Amino acid sequence: MYVFETIIALKQHLDQHRKGDQRIGFVPTMGALHEGHLSLLQAAQEQSDIRVCSIFVNPTQFNNPDDLARYPRTLDADLKLLEEAGCDVVFAPSVQEMYISQPLLTLSFGDLETVMEGAFRPGHFNGVGIVVGKLFNIVQPHYAYFGQKDLQQVAVVKRLVRDLSFPVDIVRCPILREPDGLAMSSRNRNLTPDERQQATELYNALTLAQSLLQEDGDLARAKDAVANHFAQKPQFQLEYFEIANADTLQPAEQLQAPGMTALCIAAQLGKVRLIDNLVF
Ligand code: PAF
């Protein structure tokens, strides 16, 4: 496995593979890797000849400096996991390498970012769009793999690709869950043992809402049930629970076509912000 810290060295290496007509699969990450990330790499394994993974905690997508400071950084363990998982190339640049200067460009994703994560984390998708655009230009992948856990991010990245004609296919990969249902996330490492036990309540709320909706399709009843679920759990601060279209992320007024209803949730538990979703 090759590890590069500079853009120029990475590009020189990948250019050789491109000349050999090899397909490049790319998994962008912020490190603190878990099985969810490895499942993205596994998907890349099936479709591409060369697997590239980036590890970069992107400061421009954090709207909260404490969240950035607390974001887990575990580079040595990450490299070991990637090597074992059959990754070919890792790109782990410094902040200076990625941002010679603060970008002047700002990206706005219209309706896609006025809801949920966009509404609660102002500027977040501008930062994601900028860094993903830069990484696509640096790596020039044929395929790029993103987890459904960040459903709104997938929609934003697809729109970025469409609007700027990046020649890359975006692949959405399923959420991986712990045995009790908690969606895997790098932030889970920051939960105390007690919080870790309680954290499964997000998934419990999603499955509760899903089963109610499957009974009678009553959106208001499902929303009330989730609100009541958390009303009895003061350790959580529920930020939102939305029933939305899985592509547009706009609030739904009724159940969508099969596979297109997204239940999305975000809550603060202690110092950790958790998100999750279910699409059915
Ligand atoms: O999902 C993430 O880890 C990040 O948002 C990404 C896509 C690597 C961009 O920094």
Side-chain angles (χ1 to χ4, degrees), residues 27-31 37 54 56-58 61-62 71 124 127-129 131-132 135 145-147 150 153 157 186:
V27 179
T29 82
M30 298 204 298
H37 295 110
S54 62
F56 178 61
V57 182
N58 173 38
Q61 71 188 73
F62 285 81
Y71 201 86
H124 171 64
V128 169
V131 82
V132 169
L135 288 167
Y145 301 83
F146 291 82
D150 295 297
Q153 171 170 279
V157 169
S186 304

Side-chain angles (χ1 to χ4, degrees), residues 95-113:
V95 173
Q96 285 88 329
E97 182 69 11
M98 285 298 282
Y99 296 106
I100 303 169
S101 55
Q102 187 67 15
L104 278 181
L105 177 69
T106 53
L107 298 173
S108 147
F109 292 92
D111 285 350
L112 271 181
E113 67 165 326

Side-chain angles (χ1 to χ4, degrees), residues 34 149 175-178 180-186 188 199-200 203 274-277:
H34 50 71
K149 162 110 184 317
I175 299 179
L176 253 66
R177 298 186 178 281
E178 302 290 352
D180 67 352
L182 175 66
M184 289 189 188
S185 163
S186 304
N188 293 351
T200 186
Y203 184 62
L274 298 168
I275 64 169
D276 199 354
N277 66 78

